[in-house]
């Protein structure tokens, strides 16, 4: 029997277009595990009882901006996760703008350079079940620089090491500079209380989500959140 999922994004025109491709790709990738009972751009009024109707809350580029840690939604979300709910953040880790959720989810969005080609690779020596069958892959996408909660005991799943970065100049400064040798953490998972959390940055648009290896990775994430692997 499939799990029940709540999927939320911004439907604002021009901001990470969700309808017309991206929504369909996400639901296709995760549809083996979840029935998407609700797909919406509204979430701030959700009660704890509302959240508990779902096995997993999923947010793609959702507008958490401006929310405060003392809001009812944040308190409800943290209790939902701590008592066994699953929470997935795709692309923009906008929950990081709220200190209380940043500490639980593991970081927050800072900025991003222009679109570029990036190579993702599984973080060794991790043997997490999400990484079963995952090989390095390249994707042309918008990657993010994030603030990291270093004290959080999270499992890093994917890093990038950009060997095709733009040169640093006054107009374009790629934070993942060519030949930097720095691995940048852009997908991880962790547990909070009885709940499970996944953050995965790759996936700006429908074309990104058509990458076969990214699809397999996200499908594995969904299964882990559903406690199927």
């Amino acid at each position: 029997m499939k799990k029940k999922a709540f999927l939320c994004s911004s439907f604002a025109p021009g901001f990470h277009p969700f309808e017309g491709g991206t929504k369909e790709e996400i639901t296709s990738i995760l549809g083996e595990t979840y029935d998407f009972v609700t797909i919406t751009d509204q979430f701030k009024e959700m009660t704890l009882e509302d959240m508990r109707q779902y096995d997993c809350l999923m947010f793609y580029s959702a507008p958490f901006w401006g929310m405060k840690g003392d809001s009812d939604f944040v308190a409800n979300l943290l209790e939902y996760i701590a008592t066994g709910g699953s929470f997935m953040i795709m692309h923009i880790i906008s929950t990081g703008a709220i200190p209380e959720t940043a500490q639980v989810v593991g970081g927050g969005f800072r900025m991003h350079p222009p679109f570029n080609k990036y190579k993702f690779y599984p973080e060794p020596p991790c043997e997490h079940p999400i990484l079963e069958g995952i090989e390095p892959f390249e994707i042309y996408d918008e990657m993010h620089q994030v603030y990291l909660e270093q004290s959080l005991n999270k499992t890093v799943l994917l890093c990038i090491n950009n060997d095709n970065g733009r040169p640093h100049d006054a107009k374009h400064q790629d934070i993942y500079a060519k030949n930097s040798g720095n691995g940048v953490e852009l997908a991880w998972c962790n547990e909070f209380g009885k709940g499970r959390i996944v953050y995965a940055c790759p996936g700006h648009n429908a074309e990104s989500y058509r990458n076969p290896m990214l699809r397999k990775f996200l499908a594995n994430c969904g299964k882990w959140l559903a406690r199927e692997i």
Side-chain angles (χ1 to χ4, degrees):
M1 183 183 222
K2 291 185 180 182
K3 304 288 186 178
K4 295 180 180 180
F6 174 94
L7 176 60
C8 184
S9 181
S10 168
F11 285 70
F15 178 76
H16 293 82
F18 183 59
E19 296 186 302
T22 300
K23 176 176 68 176
E24 290 77 10
E25 295 298 335
I26 291 173
T27 54
S28 171
I29 292 167
L30 296 162
E32 181 181 343
T33 303
Y34 296 95
D35 279 326
F36 288 89
V37 178
T38 301
I39 301 177
T40 182
D41 63 345
Q42 302 296 318
F43 66 93
K44 295 181 181 179
E45 302 303 319
M46 290 182 79
T47 66
L48 182 59
E49 290 71 27
D50 292 334
M51 295 178 184
R52 284 178 170 163
Q53 296 178 47
Y54 307 98
D55 299 293
C56 189
L57 306 181
M58 302 179 180
F59 289 81
Y60 163 80
S61 301
F64 287 91
W65 321 114
M67 295 192 73
K68 303 296 183 182
D70 59 357
S71 71
D72 289 342
F73 174 82
V74 171
N76 293 334
L77 175 63
L78 295 179
E79 185 169 353
Y80 166 81
I81 300 170
T83 54
S86 292
F87 185 54
M88 186 172 186
I89 293 286
M90 290 172 275
H91 199 45
I92 300 179
I93 189 167
S94 50
T95 48
I98 310 164
E100 289 79 1
T101 50
Q103 292 172 30
V104 171
V105 176
F109 173 79
R110 183 178 181 186
M111 56 85 74
H112 67 78
F115 266 71
N116 210 335
K117 182 169 72 173
Y118 296 101
K119 184 174 184 179
F120 279 84
Y121 57 92
E123 175 64 7
C126 178
E127 296 182 357
H128 197 281
I130 289 177
L131 293 179
E132 180 69 30
I134 302 302
E135 302 291 338
F137 62 93
E138 288 189 342
I139 188 171
Y140 187 77
D141 205 345
E142 174 193 274
M143 288 299 102
H144 296 166
Q145 186 180 48
V146 297
Y147 296 104
L148 299 175
E149 293 288 339
Q150 300 292 351
S151 61
L152 186 69
N153 185 24
K154 64 183 182 237
T155 300
V156 177
L157 299 169
L158 293 178
C159 287
I160 62 171
N161 190 342
N162 180 24
D163 292 327
N164 300 290
R166 293 175 181 269
H168 287 255
D169 58 45
K171 187 175 181 181
H172 295 119
Q173 196 170 54
D174 193 340
I175 54 175
Y176 311 124
K178 184 176 181 180
N179 300 323
S180 67
N182 295 322
V184 182
E185 303 171 5
L186 282 175
W188 61 73
C189 64
N190 62 287
E191 298 185 35
F192 176 66
K194 297 179 180 179
R196 292 185 170 186
I197 299 166
V198 164
Y199 166 60
C201 183
H204 175 80
N205 54 25
E207 183 62 32
S208 298
Y209 284 116
R210 295 186 184 114
N211 179 282
M213 195 57 64
L214 177 57
R215 294 178 70 87
K216 181 174 180 59
F217 172 76
L218 293 174
N220 286 355
C221 288
K223 291 175 183 176
W224 182 77
L225 289 167
R227 294 168 172 79
E228 293 184 356
I229 59 174

